[in-house]
Amino acid sequence: MYLFTSEVVAPGHPDKCADIISDSIVDALIIHDSQSRVASEVFVAGKNIIIGGEVKTTANLSQADYEKIVKDALVKIGYTGKSAFTKEQCLHPDDVNVQILLNQQSPDINQGVDQEDGETGAGDQGIMFGYAIAETADFMPSAISYARMLSDKVYHYALNHDHKLGVDIKTQVTIDYGNKENFENGKPQKIHTIVVSAPSVENMPIEEVRSLIQGLIDDTGLPTDLYNPQDTIIHINPTGRYVNHSSLHDSGLTGRKLIVDSFGGYAPIGGGAQSSKDYTKVDRSGLYAGRWLAKHIVAAGLATKCIVQLSYAIGVAKPTSVSVDTQGTFTKVDDDVLSQFIIDTFPLTPNWITKKFNLDKPSAETFLYADVASRGQVGQSDYPWEQLDELDKFQSM
């Protein structure tokens, strides 16, 4: 055996609640003023939601406006106050106390980001990693892809059956690659272990909970060549009781689920969160650009897996470095050539990335940052940065 594991948390997890609230604020401010600069961190503890950080915007949101954003986000997540869980068992939106601690963004940052010549400097320094692998149809690693599928299945059931299950859900999938060589070449052999934890109402016997969730697992659509229910270790609510949940029983913080949001531990991460930040912050836009580049390299058949690292200096538009690492899987041209090709072909400035993916135009018709926060920052086929729209340039190599 050679095993590798990834986990996923559903939108109802307190850390994800913090991410979603943060990005609901980003959406509200950028939709009102596309030049808004935002870093709206959120801490969720018990019934208290604290919003802190820095903003620069023409939007004039009141305390009541922020409270409405918070409560609307919680209701959409599934904390409607109408479930069968009591106010002691999970968060109810009417009980929430919202505290706003937002300051004006430093003018020292403004002068570097919004430049007189119209260029946009990077909103911070840092490193970002994009990744892709030819293991699945969406060029994402297997373990996190299947953990997301399971999370989505159980979460949407919970949304529609809140008299049975709550939305604070975690899933985990372990893939058996058979040996290290298969792992390095992206050849999973089977799903070895599945873990699902989902809160259930007080009067629901654990046997019924496990039978219900087992049925959801079997109906998820996991690939039949990898998933055999008779040959897979499955842990469902392994402690035997999971009723109390939400931030009443586990605090949440923006940016604490970076591995969940990206590549499930298969690749390095830069360490900076995406949620809470506007598009000039390269922790967000740099990840999107890196993923877009890596996905094109793999989809074009230039490698079977690929890591793209970008780095930036605050106030400087062009990246300070670009590197490609195909981990020995390149097919036609090596990593040096791929790195230079990207440097020569794509500007990768904040302005270029913003225009490429319309990051300054979130909307219900295109994408919302809050939705991205709930579904994962990469790997969803409808995101602008997941589109293989310049494949011909890579294939021409």
Side-chain angles (χ1 to χ4, degrees), residues 55 246 377:
V55 298
S246 80
Q377 297 290 331

Side-chain angles (χ1 to χ4, degrees), residues 50 54 62 73 93 96 109-110 112 135 139 142 158 180 184 201 207 221 223 258 263 270 282 287 290 385 397:
I50 300 171
E54 300 78 43
S62 65
V96 167
I109 296 176
N110 292 343
E135 280 190 5
F139 301 98
S142 297
K180 182 68 179 297
E184 291 175 343
V201 293
E207 294 79 13
L258 302 186
F263 306 107
V282 284
L287 169 68
W385 47 94
M397 297 186 70

Side-chain angles (χ1 to χ4, degrees), residues 165-179:
L165 300 182
V167 294
D168 186 355
I169 296 159
K170 298 179 77 171
T171 60
Q172 187 170 284
V173 170
T174 300
I175 298 290
D176 182 3
Y177 286 86
N179 54 53

